[in-house]
């Protein structure tokens, strides 16, 4: 009995180490990271498939998978819809496995480091891309699977190792939030952790500079809200009022020039208020978010139950406007239009249940460091949900994987701490 327990413990430790290496490699060496996660998925499913299949949240995801398959069969363009399943079903399976692997609060701290540490070289590469027009040799692209495009994609906005600036923006927003969580957790026990504080301060400043250079209004707003959420959590009201005052001043400069905003524009950096007011670009009506969102809403009204099929938006939008658009700038509207309201509501219900249990678990812990780290995970996932209100991240393997890893970590740890957890 003891020998079998020891062997199981060693196997689990080896699986955890393989998972850690996979997460560390994921952003800078996606192929290696993805391969490692596939191996982890196979190991966990093979050893715990009965536990996985008995869990009601996993069962709900299997039902959701069935709805997506039915939606694909009924799609306007079925071939596109079947391909679209790859953006969801593999991640459902990974999520189910990682809920069994990530069950201890102390694992969250290790995972945070693995997610945030690569952001430092990623921002460094992005600075070279923007300021020095760095690019990558073909050999680097063939090995690592990404390339630096001089001046960014689109030009003038940092994209670094990602193929578009918005994917970098959400990654840096998540890294920024988790880094702040680590920083605060170390600060709460700062007597012997000053080296960690110095490193985390450098990473926070790097992530913040990268966020600014992505020119993503969505990510800027998330960063501000994250700072305020931490300040509320810690009871630092003066920070809340300070951030609120700065945010109001910036918004005033951007949108109310006729009522004193012109004076504020002398203080607020021009690239910020110009970007917020969207005066940096002359946009055709087909590219406007409101146009895309209205089109999605019309699609939902026409086929509310099972939608038009995954990845069908692009073809349908081009047919109406004679304009190619990869996706609408709202995952939730896109998912409702393509997969139908049944799938959308079920996905929202699954997420709501996980977050409710997580909040309940957070309220039961006494250790302040553990609570701070777990709180940072809740903020990071909420940030991804908010970001997807005005954008879509499922089409980037690295970002999509990280978001599902974070949700699995939240679910696995909170479920293991629940006295009435489902077997």
């Amino acid at each position: 009995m003891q020998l079998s327990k020891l062997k199981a413990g060693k196997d689990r430790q080896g699986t955890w180490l393989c998972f850690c290496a996979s997460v560390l490699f994921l952003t800078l060496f996606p192929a290696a990271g993805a391969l490692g996660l596939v191996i982890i998925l196979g190991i966990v499913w093979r050893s715990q498939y009965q536990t996985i299949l008995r869990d009601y949240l996993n069962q709900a995801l299997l039902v959701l998978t069935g709805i997506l398959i039915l939606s694909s069969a009924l799609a306007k363009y079925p071939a596109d819809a079947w391909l679209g399943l790859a953006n969801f079903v593999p991640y459902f399976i990974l999520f189910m496995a990682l809920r069994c692997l990530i069950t201890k609060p102390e694992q969250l701290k290790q995972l945070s480091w693995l997610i945030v540490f690569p952001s430092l070289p990623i921002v460094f590469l992005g600075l070279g891309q923007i300021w020095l027009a760095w690019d990558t040799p073909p050999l680097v692209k063939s090995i690592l699977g990404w390339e630096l495009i001089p001046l960014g994609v689109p030009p003038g906005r940092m994209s670094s190792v990602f193929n578009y600036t918005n994917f970098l923006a959400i990654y840096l927003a998540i890294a920024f939030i988790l880094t702040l969580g680590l920083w605060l957790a170390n600060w709460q026990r700062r007597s012997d952790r000053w080296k960690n504080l110095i490193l985390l301060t450098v990473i926070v400043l790097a992530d913040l500079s990268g966020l600014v250079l992505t020119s993503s209004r969505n990510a800027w707003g998330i960063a501000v809200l994250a700072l305020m959420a931490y300040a509320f959590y810690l009871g630092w009201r003066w920070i809340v009022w300070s951030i609120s005052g700065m945010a109001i001043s910036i918004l005033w400069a951007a949108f109310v020039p006729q009522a004193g905003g012109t004076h504020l524009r002398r203080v607020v950096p021009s690239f910020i208020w110009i970007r917020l007011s969207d005066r940096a670009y002359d946009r055709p009506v087909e590219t406007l978010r409101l146009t895309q969102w209205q089109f999605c809403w019309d699609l939902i009204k026409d086929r509310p139950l099972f939608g038009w099929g995954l990845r069908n938006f692009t073809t349908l939008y081009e047919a109406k406007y004679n304009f190619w658009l990869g996706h609408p700038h709202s995952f939730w509207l896109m998912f409702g239009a393509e997969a139908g309201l049944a799938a959308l509501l079920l996905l929202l219900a699954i997420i709501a249940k996980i977050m409710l249990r997580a909040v309940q678990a957070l309220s039961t812990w006494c250790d302040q460091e553990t609570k701070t780290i777990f709180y940072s995970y809740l903020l990071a996932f909420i940030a991804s949900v908010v970001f997807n209100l005005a954008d879509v991240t499922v089409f980037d393997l690295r970002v999509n994987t990280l978001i599902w890893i974070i949700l699995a970590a939240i679910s696995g740890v909170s479920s293991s701490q629940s006295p009435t957890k489902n077997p």
Side-chain angles (χ1 to χ4, degrees), residues 209-267:
S209 64
L211 281 171
V212 171
L213 292 173
T214 62
S215 294
S216 170
R217 295 168 293 180
N218 207 355
W220 290 354
I222 286 172
V224 171
L225 292 175
L227 288 171
M228 295 182 68
Y230 276 120
F232 269 117
Y233 174 71
L234 297 169
W236 295 348
R237 306 298 181 194
W238 64 274
I239 292 183
V240 176
W241 288 112
S242 299
I243 295 175
S244 299
M246 288 189 291
I248 291 172
S249 299
I250 292 172
L251 292 174
W252 200 327
F255 297 107
V256 198
Q258 66 274 16
T262 52
H263 299 292
L264 289 172
R265 288 180 177 181
R266 300 171 184 171
V267 179

Side-chain angles (χ1 to χ4, degrees), residues 130-382:
I130 292 293
W131 292 341
L132 301 175
W134 282 356
D135 60 4
T136 45
L139 180 62
V140 172
K141 180 183 177 181
S142 63
I143 295 174
L144 298 181
W146 51 262
E147 63 176 328
L148 288 179
I149 304 298
L151 305 181
V153 182
R157 298 175 62 184
M158 181 190 289
S159 58
S160 189
V161 302
F162 294 86
N163 61 12
Y164 196 76
T165 185
N166 288 351
F167 295 133
L168 173 65
I170 183 56
Y171 166 70
L172 288 180
I174 290 172
F176 176 70
I177 292 169
L178 293 180
T179 307
L180 281 178
L182 286 170
W183 193 97
L184 291 169
N186 280 269
W187 179 83
Q188 289 162 344
R189 295 185 179 181
R190 60 190 179 278
S191 58
D192 59 346
R193 298 185 179 183
W194 59 272
K195 292 181 180 179
N196 285 349
L197 283 174
I198 293 175
L199 176 58
L200 288 168
T201 300
V202 172
I203 296 176
V204 164
L205 294 176
D207 291 346
L208 196 56
S209 64
L211 281 171
V212 171
L213 292 173
T214 62
S215 294
S216 170
R217 295 168 293 180
N218 207 355
W220 290 354
I222 286 172
V224 171
L225 292 175
L227 288 171
M228 295 182 68
Y230 276 120
F232 269 117
Y233 174 71
L234 297 169
W236 295 348
R237 306 298 181 194
W238 64 274
I239 292 183
V240 176
W241 288 112
S242 299
I243 295 175
S244 299
M246 288 189 291
I248 291 172
S249 299
I250 292 172
L251 292 174
W252 200 327
F255 297 107
V256 198
Q258 66 274 16
T262 52
H263 299 292
L264 289 172
R265 288 180 177 181
R266 300 171 184 171
V267 179
V268 178
S270 59
F271 77 92
I272 293 180
W273 64 260
I274 288 175
R275 175 62 179 141
L276 285 174
S277 60
D278 208 21
R279 297 188 179 187
Y281 305 98
D282 182 19
R283 301 183 184 278
V285 67
E286 296 85 1
T287 66
L288 298 178
R289 280 176 166 82
L290 289 177
T291 306
Q292 302 162 28
W293 296 346
Q294 182 62 53
F295 183 73
C296 282
W297 180 244
D298 292 338
L299 292 179
I300 291 172
K301 289 190 295 183
D302 290 339
R303 286 193 181 186
L305 191 55
F306 296 113
W308 291 79
L310 299 173
R311 297 182 76 236
N312 273 222
F313 169 85
T314 299
T315 306
L316 294 169
Y317 197 80
E318 187 174 15
K320 179 172 182 178
Y321 291 103
N322 196 29
F323 182 87
W324 188 93
L325 188 69
H327 59 77
H329 284 74
S330 173
F331 166 77
W332 305 104
L333 280 173
M334 182 191 77
F335 194 68
E338 293 186 340
L341 293 180
L344 176 61
L345 293 176
L346 181 54
L347 177 60
L348 290 173
I350 292 170
I351 292 173
K353 180 61 180 178
I354 293 171
M355 298 304 285
L356 177 61
R357 179 178 283 178
V359 171
Q360 292 171 342
L362 182 68
S363 64
T364 63
W365 287 325
C366 298
D367 182 72
Q368 192 60 43
E369 183 179 15
T370 299
K371 292 182 71 172
T372 301
I373 294 294
F374 192 67
Y375 183 72
S376 71
Y377 274 76
L378 298 184
L379 286 185
F381 182 74
I382 292 171

